[in-house]
Amino acid sequence: MSIHSLTMKQTRTNLSDADTRREAIIEAALLAFADAGFQATPVTAVAARAGISQAYVFKLFPTKEELFIAAVERCFTRIEETLEKSAQTVSSGDADAMLYAMGDGYASLIADRSILMIQVHAQSASDVPAIRATMRGGLKRIVTYVKQRTGASDEAVQRFIAFGQLCHLITTTDIDELGEDWARLVARGIRHVPAI
Amino acid sequence: MSIHSLTMKQTRTNLSDADTRREAIIEAALLAFADAGFQATPVTAVAARAGISQAYVFKLFPTKEELFIAAVERCFTRIEETLEKSAQTVSSGDADAMLYAMGDGYASLIADRSILMIQVHAQSASDVPAIRATMRGGLKRIVTYVKQRTGASDEAVQRFIAFGQLCHLITTTDIDELGEDWARLVARGIRHVPAI
DNA sequence: GCCGATAGTGAGTATTCACTCACTCACCAT
DNA sequence: ATGGTGAGTGAGTGAATACTCACTATCGGC
């Protein structure tokens, strides 16, 4: 695929249209699957969002599973980009400050829910081997990246991941919109950047 | 319903009473839904597990949604029971020791995966309002129970919940069966009681 | 023995959806 | 102009499945 686009590059003035379409479809899939999950989202919903016929989606992604996996992979890529951006706002010495900044960055990334929900849905669909493998791969990327980039202790990194998961629980249950004491306890210290 | 079963209690032969069947169905639902989630589990699977016709399952639980919710509720009940049992093994003064014991108890409860997976699936299906409400109710029960019973600080209770969520991630991705460094970092200190 | 009620089911129906296929169209090199 | 290639689609198909209904079986009480 990449070889193909490379060899084509000289003869074509325009970039390959199929790759552009793939992009559009992945972005549409990210949003569509985030809404209702792997099983409950028909690929017609993805196609409609991308403004493309369902048949062509299947030509580019032969199965719904591959389509979903592409969306999950994209989600992890976006998380890494966000963490890196946060890291750059902090001097490279202070591990805790960098972890904190990354936490902030992640909190605002998931403010629009789709990045968060894709992960929750992928976790739920992880009885499908390829999906579980993708989740494992994504987690590995993030953990090793955070550990190396911040140089924080194992405990701190583990805590970082654990509180990320807590964010997911808070959002899926909507408890941050609840005024009750127990809810404030759970959501304490979790930052919110309201979605625009 | 309970009045009825009381008056009927003396007599029985071939047919069982509806409450017994409800019980059997909820237990079957717990296992069946844990396998594949709300959307991907047909209620025929629940019926088959309970050894009952699908039509009768629908007579007792008018919609699949209600059936799933019953399973989720049962899951939270079982968690509470387990936490209480753990609490009783520890003297009532030491909040940290009690939280620790509860963590242990929870870890062995979710060793068989079904209690854990139901929660993950429920989280994923939480765009269904009634399911989200059930999750919120269950979380409320657990948080308020743990806080009151242990008397631990808000921070400690929040951490307890966060690391529970981390357990879910570890299990769904199977990373505890991985020898790699990053995986050990994430799973460090999480206890495992192997399923029998 | 029969009656009223409760337990229980076989055989549907209507719909949704993953995936397929035969086809058209736009473009470009010869 | 022509033929070849890749982008793109309309119209299916077959299987799965949530839910229904008309029906039978079993029971306790009289």
Side-chain angles (χ1 to χ4, degrees):
Chain A
M1 187 103 23
S2 51
I3 290 170
H4 199 73
S5 55
L6 275 175
T7 55
M8 286 309 205
K9 203 178 282 176
Q10 306 106 338
T11 57
R12 282 236 178 179
T13 47
N14 298 352
L15 284 178
S16 161
D17 229 340
D19 280 351
T20 309
R21 291 304 207 180
R22 286 185 78 91
E23 268 307 300
I25 291 170
I26 290 175
E27 290 302 322
L30 205 47
L31 297 172
F33 282 126
D35 270 1
F38 175 54
Q39 300 284 350
T41 305
V43 343
T44 55
V46 177
R49 236 181 232 269
I52 274 179
S53 78
Q54 182 227 34
Y56 193 49
V57 173
F58 273 107
K59 194 163 273 180
L60 262 20
F61 297 88
T63 65
K64 186 185 177 182
E65 192 180 309
E66 287 174 65
L67 179 56
F68 183 70
I69 285 175
V72 175
E73 216 115 37
R74 168 64 47 99
C75 157
F76 282 115
T77 303
R78 194 150 301 160
I79 292 172
E80 271 187 317
E81 290 167 2
T82 301
L83 296 184
E84 174 56 24
K85 216 175 289 179
S86 299
Q88 284 169 2
T89 67
V90 172
S91 70
S92 271
D94 191 344
D96 284 345
M98 193 177 283
L99 260 189
Y100 188 88
M102 284 181 173
D104 254 11
Y106 186 66
S108 36
L109 176 65
I110 65 178
D112 79 344
R113 281 182 169 242
S114 50
I115 294 292
L116 181 156
M117 289 309 297
I118 284 278
Q119 290 178 81
V120 171
H121 293 314
Q123 209 177 334
S124 168
S126 64
D127 55 301
V128 177
I131 296 178
R132 183 168 57 246
T134 305
M135 277 294 282
R136 212 161 38 200
L139 185 57
K140 174 178 182 167
R141 276 161 65 187
I142 290 177
V143 170
T144 55
Y145 167 78
V146 169
K147 172 75 181 170
Q148 294 207 321
R149 176 78 219 232
T150 65
S153 70
D154 286 2
E155 286 74 18
V157 175
Q158 185 191 42
R159 189 189 164 87
F160 179 79
I161 302 294
F163 276 77
Q165 295 305 110
L166 182 63
C167 281
H168 297 185
L169 181 65
I170 290 168
T171 304
T172 52
T173 54
D174 268 349
I175 69 171
D176 49 352
E177 288 173 7
L178 229 56
E180 305 173 24
D181 278 358
W182 69 271
R184 267 198 295 269
L185 181 163
V186 173
R188 165 150 284 158
I190 308 291
R191 269 160 300 288
H192 295 115
V193 180
I196 295 169
Chain B
M1 190 124 2
S2 51
I3 290 170
H4 199 72
S5 58
L6 275 175
T7 54
M8 285 308 201
K9 201 182 285 175
Q10 308 104 332
T11 60
R12 110 137 35 128
T13 350
N14 257 348
L15 258 38
S16 40
D17 72 71
D19 281 350
T20 308
R21 291 305 208 181
R22 284 185 81 91
E23 268 307 300
I25 292 170
I26 290 175
E27 289 303 322
L30 205 47
L31 297 172
F33 282 124
D35 270 1
F38 175 55
Q39 301 284 350
T41 304
V43 344
T44 56
V46 177
R49 235 181 234 270
I52 275 178
S53 79
Q54 183 227 32
Y56 194 48
V57 174
F58 272 107
K59 193 162 273 179
L60 262 21
F61 297 88
T63 65
K64 187 185 178 182
E65 192 179 308
E66 288 175 63
L67 179 55
F68 183 70
I69 285 174
V72 174
E73 215 115 35
R74 168 64 45 101
C75 157
F76 282 116
T77 302
R78 196 152 300 162
I79 292 172
E80 271 188 319
E81 290 167 1
T82 301
L83 296 184
E84 173 56 24
K85 216 177 288 180
S86 299
Q88 285 170 0
T89 67
V90 173
S91 71
S92 271
D94 191 344
D96 284 346
M98 194 177 282
L99 259 190
Y100 188 88
M102 284 181 174
D104 255 12
Y106 187 65
S108 35
L109 177 65
I110 65 178
D112 79 344
R113 278 179 171 245
S114 49
I115 294 292
L116 181 155
M117 289 309 298
I118 285 278
Q119 290 178 80
V120 170
H121 292 313
Q123 210 177 333
S124 168
S126 65
D127 55 301
V128 177
I131 296 178
R132 182 169 59 246
T134 305
M135 277 294 282
R136 211 160 39 198
L139 185 58
K140 174 178 182 168
R141 276 162 65 188
I142 290 177
V143 170
T144 54
Y145 168 77
V146 170
K147 172 74 181 169
Q148 293 208 322
R149 176 78 220 229
T150 65
S153 71
D154 286 3
E155 286 74 18
V157 174
Q158 185 191 42
R159 189 188 165 87
F160 179 79
I161 301 294
F163 276 76
Q165 294 305 110
L166 182 64
C167 281
H168 298 185
L169 181 64
I170 291 168
T171 304
T172 51
T173 53
D174 267 348
I175 69 171
D176 49 352
E177 288 171 9
L178 230 57
E180 304 172 26
D181 278 358
W182 69 272
R184 264 198 296 268
L185 180 163
V186 174
R188 166 149 286 157
I190 307 290
R191 271 162 298 289
H192 296 116
V193 180
I196 295 170

